Amino acid sequence: MKTRNRMNVIFTALLLFALVPFNMAQDKLPKVVILATGGTIAGAGESSTGSAYTSGQVKIEAMIDAVPNIRKLADLRGEQISNVGSQDMSVKIWLDLANRINELLAGDVDGIVITHGTDTQEETAFFLNLVVKSDKPVVLTGSMRPSTALSADGPLNMYNAVAVAADPHSKGRGVMVVMNDEIQSAHAVKKMITTPVQTFMSPQHGLLGTVIFGQVTYFHYPFGLHTTESEFSVDGVKKLPRVDIVYACADMSPDLIPIMVKAGAKGIVIAGVGDGNMTEATLKAAKKATAKGIKIVRASRVPIGTVLLHGEVIDADYGTVSSMDLNPQKARVLLMLAMLKDRTREELQDLFLTY
Ligand code: ASP
C-alpha cells in the first residue's frame, strides 16, 4: 500500500512536471486583438462562383473560427468596431479605432490586427501610422474575395496578419498592410488593381517583407516618421477639418475650387495631371483660395512618383504645397491632421517632406 502511494506521488509529480512547460508555452503566446471593421473579408454572396456580394456581413468571432490553427499563433480575441464596406469608412470610425488601439497597446496587448475593406485600407493605415502612440505592431488585412467565394483569400490573409502582429521583429515598423503573402508599409502601400488578389503594391518603395504561411521575413524599415515619432495626436479630437479632393484633367474647370470652399472645405488636395499640374485657370483659382487661408496641396493622379517642389509650378508663387510621394488620398489624411493646428505654407511643406 505504502509503495503504491509513493508510486502515485512520483507519477503525479512527473505528470505535473510534464505539464508545466506546456502551460508556460501557452502563457507565453503573444496577446493579439483583432479589431474588425468590415470589408469583403467579412463579405458574403449567394454563390461561391458569382461576383455579386455584400461587404461587412460576417462577425469577427465567426471569422476567427474559420481560420485553422490561428489560435496557435497568439492568445487571440476579437472586437467588432464597425461592419461596413470601406467605401463607407469615416473619420468617426478612424477616431474610434485609433483611440481603442492606443488604449489596448498601452496595456498588456502585444499586437493589433485590423480587418478592413481594401478600397480605403491605405488611407486608414496611413491615418493610424500618424496617430498610434506605440511601437507595437499594428497590421491591417482584408481580402479581395468574400468569405463565401471559391478560393476565398481572407482566411490565409488573416492567419498571416496575426503571425506578423505576433512576431517580435514587427516592432518599430509602423502600421503595416498584410495581404497576398506581402508586408507593406502604411506610407508606401497603394491599391493598384480593382479586383484581383494582388491588389496592394508599394511601387515606389518596395515591400517591407513577406509572410508565407505565417513565416515572417523583413527586408526593410519604412520611409517617413510614424507612430511614436509622430507629432500628431487624436487625444480628445472629435472631428477633423474638411479636406476635399479634386481630380484634374484636360480643360479642367477652375469653378471646382470655389465650389468646394463654399461647401465648407478648409483644405483641398488637387490630384493634378503629371507632376501635380492643372490648367492655368485652376492655378489662378488655387492662388485666390490660398490667399484667403484655404490650404491647397498638389498631388498627382499618376500612380507612381514624386511631385517636384520646383517643377513647372513654383508652390511659393501660388501658396500651394507639394504632396511629395503621397497620393491624393494619403495627402488628404496628412493635411486633415496637420490642420488641427494653424500652420504656415512652409510648415505644411515640411510635414510633407517628413511623413
Ligand atoms: N468594397 C470593399 C471594401 O472596401 C472591397 C474590399 O474589401 O475588397 O470594403
Side-chain angles (χ1 to χ4, degrees):
M1 195 64 177
K2 264 187 183 168
T3 319
R4 197 178 303 149
N5 270 346
R6 200 173 305 136
M7 288 299 285
N8 276 347
V9 169
I10 292 169
F11 181 72
T12 311
L14 280 174
L15 193 68
L16 280 175
F17 187 69
L19 282 176
V20 163
F22 176 76
N23 282 333
M24 272 169 49
Q26 289 288 301
D27 286 347
K28 272 197 191 136
L29 278 180
K31 278 191 169 48
V32 173
V33 177
I34 304 185
L35 302 177
T37 68
T40 299
I41 193 166
E46 294 217 328
S47 156
S48 62
T49 51
S51 58
Y53 72 98
T54 310
S55 279
Q57 300 297 297
V58 185
K59 295 265 173 61
I60 184 58
E61 287 308 332
M63 286 165 69
I64 295 174
D65 289 346
V67 186
N69 296 328
I70 197 167
R71 289 191 188 278
K72 291 186 182 159
L73 296 173
D75 173 357
L76 206 58
R77 68 186 171 81
E79 286 181 22
Q80 197 78 44
I81 300 288
S82 64
N83 216 354
V84 296
S86 74
Q87 55 271 41
D88 284 319
M89 189 45 58
S90 63
V91 167
K92 162 142 192 350
I93 302 176
W94 280 353
L95 294 172
D96 288 349
L97 256 181
N99 289 326
R100 187 64 185 134
I101 292 168
N102 283 332
E103 196 176 16
L104 289 166
L105 293 184
D108 65 350
V109 171
D110 298 297
I112 301 283
V113 168
I114 301 158
T115 55
H116 194 295
T118 60
D119 289 351
T120 60
Q121 190 164 149
E122 65 195 79
E123 288 159 73
T124 302
F126 189 57
F127 174 77
L128 295 173
N129 202 43
L130 299 178
V131 300
V132 164
K133 297 285 164 213
S134 170
D135 64 354
K136 295 177 186 174
V138 175
V139 182
L140 284 92
T141 192
S143 77
M144 296 305 286
R145 298 180 183 139
S147 65
T148 46
L150 185 65
S151 294
D153 51 331
L156 184 54
N157 285 341
M158 232 167 105
Y159 183 86
N160 281 336
V162 170
V164 170
D167 192 305
H169 298 103
S170 301
K171 251 189 155 185
R173 292 182 200 264
V175 174
M176 293 174 277
V177 166
V178 166
M179 270 190 53
N180 203 35
D181 297 353
E182 294 178 339
I183 311 171
Q184 329 239 9
S185 78
H187 179 103
V189 68
K190 299 174 187 205
K191 186 170 187 176
M192 297 291 285
I193 318 180
T194 52
T195 58
V197 294
Q198 176 58 8
T199 191
F200 283 123
M201 298 180 195
S202 300
Q204 205 164 356
H205 297 251
L207 299 178
L208 285 189
T210 58
V211 48
I212 318 284
F213 290 108
Q215 285 177 50
V216 179
T217 309
Y218 281 108
F219 314 134
H220 303 296
Y221 278 88
F223 170 86
L225 296 187
H226 58 78
T227 56
T228 50
E229 308 152 334
S230 166
E231 67 194 85
F232 301 108
S233 162
V234 287
D235 213 17
V237 172
K238 294 279 175 268
K239 56 184 202 168
L240 297 177
R242 173 167 165 177
V243 174
D244 290 343
I245 299 178
V246 58
Y247 198 91
C249 58
D251 207 21
M252 181 190 194
S253 163
D255 299 345
L256 297 170
I257 290 184
I259 288 171
M260 286 175 168
V261 173
K262 200 165 169 219
K266 303 284 180 260
I268 295 173
V269 176
I270 299 171
V273 292
D275 185 23
N277 289 318
M278 62 208 80
T279 52
E280 192 57 40
T282 306
L283 260 182
K284 279 190 188 141
K287 186 171 180 169
K288 251 191 186 170
T290 56
K292 287 188 188 140
I294 303 298
K295 308 297 181 195
I296 298 193
V297 174
R298 288 186 312 117
S300 178
R301 67 178 198 176
V302 178
I304 309 172
T306 298
V307 173
L308 297 177
L309 281 175
H310 303 292
E312 286 182 83
V313 177
I314 307 293
D315 284 297
D317 294 347
Y318 297 95
T320 55
V321 167
S322 157
S323 75
M324 305 310 293
D325 67 326
L326 290 180
N327 62 17
Q329 53 272 35
K330 285 191 199 166
R332 173 177 175 262
V333 169
L334 180 53
L335 186 57
M336 285 194 292
L337 285 169
M339 287 174 63
L340 286 171
K341 226 173 104 178
D342 200 24
R343 298 180 206 252
T344 63
R345 190 196 76 82
E346 289 70 22
E347 286 167 343
L348 279 179
Q349 187 62 73
D350 274 352
L351 296 178
F352 279 87
L353 287 161
T354 320
Y355 290 91

